[in-house]
Amino acid sequence: MKRLLRLPALLRLTLLFLITLVFQNCSQQKIKETTDETLNITDYLRANPDYSMFVEILDITNYASFMNTYGTYTIFVPTNDAVKEYLNDIGATSLNQVPLADLQNIAKLHILDQKIETTSFTDGKIATPSMYGQYLITGATNVDGVSSVTVNKTASIVASNLEVGNGVIHVISKVLRIADKTLAQTIEANPNLSLFTETLKATGWFSILNQPIPANSTNINDYLTVLAQTNDVFHKAGFDNLDQLKARYSHLHNPLDPKDSLNLFVAYRILPRLQYLADISVSPALVTKAPLEVISTKLDGEKILLNEDTFNGILEKGVEVNRGSSDITASNGVLHYVDGNFAIKKRLPAPVYFEFTDIAEFRRLTSIWRKPAGGYQTLFIGDAGIDVTWDAKASDASAYLAYNKAADGTSITSGIAGCWNADVCEIFRFRDANAQNVKFTTPVIIKGKYKIWISYRQQGTKLGNVKVFFDGVELPRQINLMEGGNTDTAGTPETVLESQGYKRYATPWSNRVNCRLVGVVDVPTTARHTLTLQSQGNFGAQSWFDIAEFRPVEMNQLWPKFTAGRGTLVYQ
């Protein structure tokens, strides 16, 4: 203390101030240990008595704790009245009387492992399947002048977009039911499809449509899609019984023979893969179970038209898909209805414009895919397998694909905004040691001879050449990703550029994008095919790919062009 008193007055005051701060900091304080006090799904539901019966389902199935963990989920919550109605329908008085497996399936059907708000709903399937594996269908209805959004055509959304800590909640008026009937059983149960059912049985397709999906399969390729005709549609076409159909179509007099015309008539109405209207409406052609035969599609406003085409200036009227009756989920596929009878049409080669971003793995990114605000999302090896695969090791987190979308209105000179739809498929670590081969599955290409053009966003350094393979066969020309958009020859006629294997594919044109002719191919079958990009070096920067064009050789290769930053075409 004596030493302290000997110090100058100012220094003594400074020491006393510091000692006081130390004592204050040592005193007990309440510390906030969490950064977010927002309730997660389960806690939110427990705090609201109107949802207590669905909480009981989550408790019984042990999903309650799961839905309280960190993540981004969407959950459709039926009210207590909806659960009571469900119990009454199945003849139970309490949830304890319902088999555990049934409750588990119900819980999984109501949960999606991605946050999806109603602004992302369309008149059709939600892009992300439920945890049960079946897709949910949304739509709009108007009853007595009151509009509402429905789920699976039965449940109305009574409260939506309830934000919680780990996702979003939509409250619905009915319990969603599992589709447990096969396509064959679903069709046979409808008396308006009795002639269609009889025809399926006569041709052997009924048993095929009655086969269950392998256990725990979520692969859309294991499913089938059916375009059904009602008795009324058949009647308008002049058919009221099976004998009349046999007389018209069964040229071999054996409908069970796959080569018989009646068998092909049915096969032409059965599509491989799970295809809801949302998928059909964006597909230029649909592969069918009739060998080498496809159905063309056309979107006319809200109408989906099948086989409506113009040949030699003459319009061939098609048939409309009945949107209100379609999108019926079955245990092994999906059922649609058509409003007219239609026959197999021979197809001429037609252009296919395949965007590298228009793949299942990117389309399910509903919060950013083709959204005006743009966005960026990576896709790693474990996320792939439907429309794209690549040979990176599963443990290699440095190799990835990404969806890269520029915001609407961005100047096309930025590069990505100068691409079609202002988005690109980005490949990183596109190199020998990481991910040398990236294989895409194309849309349906009609049998014929085509020129293949690949467009991309140019990068001036750290990239190199890319080989292209069609169905595993190498094409003659490589792509140099450092090669720009030929602005040094801006005055060169486009026909001259075309003769050199280049073109200005987008309009307005940007020197940051380019397009290269990689070869001519004979497409042997009408089907989906594979297109593989193979790096020829250890690229040190991202690669950006826009479109693969398959243009019939006799078609104009320069027109139509693609509108930069938008999804439209520009004709000459």
Side-chain angles (χ1 to χ4, degrees), residues 10-11 42 51 57 91 99 117 179 211 220 278 371 409 486 489 515 520 531 537:
L10 180 59
L11 185 55
T42 302
Y51 317 133
I57 293 177
E117 297 181 338
Q211 294 175 1
I220 61 174
K371 291 293 188 289
N486 301 293
T489 56
C515 188
V520 180
L531 190 72

Side-chain angles (χ1 to χ4, degrees), residues 138-159:
T138 59
T141 60
N142 189 295
V143 179
D144 297 329
V146 179
S147 298
S148 63
V149 177
T150 61
V151 183
N152 282 7
K153 301 181 182 289
T154 58
S156 296
I157 294 182
V158 297

Side-chain angles (χ1 to χ4, degrees), residues 449-454 468 470 473-479 501 516-522 531 549-551 553 557:
K449 195 170 187 177
Y450 295 83
K451 290 185 178 182
I452 302 180
W453 300 82
I454 304 292
V468 181
F470 181 77
V473 178
E474 182 180 347
L475 300 180
R477 292 178 175 174
Q478 297 184 21
I479 305 166
R516 181 69 163 135
L517 176 66
V518 292
V520 180
V521 297
D522 280 307
L531 190 72
E549 300 177 44
F550 298 85
R551 296 195 182 222
V553 291
Q557 301 296 308

Side-chain angles (χ1 to χ4, degrees), residues 68-337:
N68 225 31
T69 58
Y70 173 79
T72 51
Y73 302 102
T74 298
I75 186 166
F76 292 86
V77 178
T79 62
N80 287 347
D81 288 341
V83 178
K84 290 175 184 177
E85 182 182 348
Y86 162 73
L87 291 175
N88 184 63
D89 289 344
I90 64 173
T93 58
S94 71
L95 289 168
N96 291 324
Q97 296 176 352
V98 183
L100 177 60
D102 290 352
L103 292 180
Q104 289 173 331
N105 290 339
I106 286 174
K108 290 187 288 186
L109 185 66
H110 288 71
I111 301 171
L112 284 61
D113 64 356
Q114 186 173 335
K115 182 180 176 181
I116 302 176
E117 297 181 338
T118 54
T119 52
S120 297
F121 289 177
T122 59
D123 187 13
K125 75 167 186 179
I126 297 177
T128 301
S130 67
M131 294 187 69
Y132 180 77
Q134 289 183 355
Y135 286 88
L136 302 183
I137 308 299
T138 59
T141 60
N142 189 295
V143 179
D144 297 329
V146 179
S147 298
S148 63
V149 177
T150 61
V151 183
N152 282 7
K153 301 181 182 289
T154 58
S156 296
I157 294 182
V158 297
S160 61
N161 303 323
L162 304 178
E163 292 279 350
V164 289
N166 59 346
V168 64
I169 296 171
H170 306 298
V171 182
I172 53 179
S173 63
K174 288 183 179 292
V175 173
L176 304 178
R177 307 294 286 270
I178 298 294
D180 54 4
K181 291 182 179 179
T182 64
L183 282 164
Q185 293 167 339
T186 303
I187 292 168
E188 188 176 34
N190 186 346
N192 293 322
L193 295 176
S194 59
L195 181 53
F196 191 71
T197 302
E198 195 176 357
T199 309
L200 289 174
K201 292 180 177 179
T203 56
W205 282 100
F206 187 89
S207 60
I208 296 174
L209 297 179
N210 205 32
Q211 294 175 1
I213 293 299
N216 301 319
S217 173
T218 57
N219 188 344
I220 61 174
N221 295 312
D222 291 334
Y223 294 77
L224 294 172
T225 299
V226 177
L227 304 171
Q229 295 180 198
T230 64
N231 295 341
D232 184 56
V233 169
F234 276 120
H235 174 74
K236 290 178 180 178
F239 305 107
D240 291 308
N241 55 60
L242 181 59
D243 288 337
Q244 291 174 338
L245 283 172
K246 287 181 178 179
R248 171 63 178 85
Y249 292 110
S250 184
H251 77 297
L252 297 179
H253 308 293
N254 180 13
L256 290 173
D257 189 331
K259 296 180 181 178
D260 184 85
S261 294
L262 184 57
N263 194 293
L264 292 170
F265 175 89
V266 175
Y268 195 56
R269 286 152 176 77
I270 300 175
L271 317 177
R273 304 173 69 241
L274 187 66
Q275 301 188 65
Y276 286 86
L277 293 185
D279 307 302
I280 290 175
S281 64
V282 296
S283 300
L286 305 171
V287 172
T288 72
K289 285 294 186 177
L292 306 182
E293 303 297 347
V294 299
I295 298 171
S296 67
T297 63
K298 177 182 178 181
L299 192 61
D300 182 9
E302 293 296 318
K303 297 179 181 179
I304 298 176
L305 302 174
L306 306 179
N307 282 350
E308 177 153 310
D309 303 289
T310 300
F311 286 107
N312 297 322
I314 299 174
L315 175 65
E316 298 179 356
K317 295 292 291 183
V319 299
E320 184 178 350
V321 177
N322 190 315
R323 298 191 71 134
S325 301
S326 296
D327 273 346
I328 304 299
T329 300
S331 62
N332 60 346
V334 59
L335 174 65
H336 307 297
Y337 290 77

Side-chain angles (χ1 to χ4, degrees), residues 56 65 260 267:
E56 187 177 351
S65 57
D260 184 85

Side-chain angles (χ1 to χ4, degrees), residues 32-43:
K32 184 177 180 179
E33 297 179 349
T34 61
T35 58
D36 188 356
E37 296 179 353
T38 305
L39 297 177
N40 282 340
I41 289 172
T42 302
D43 286 341

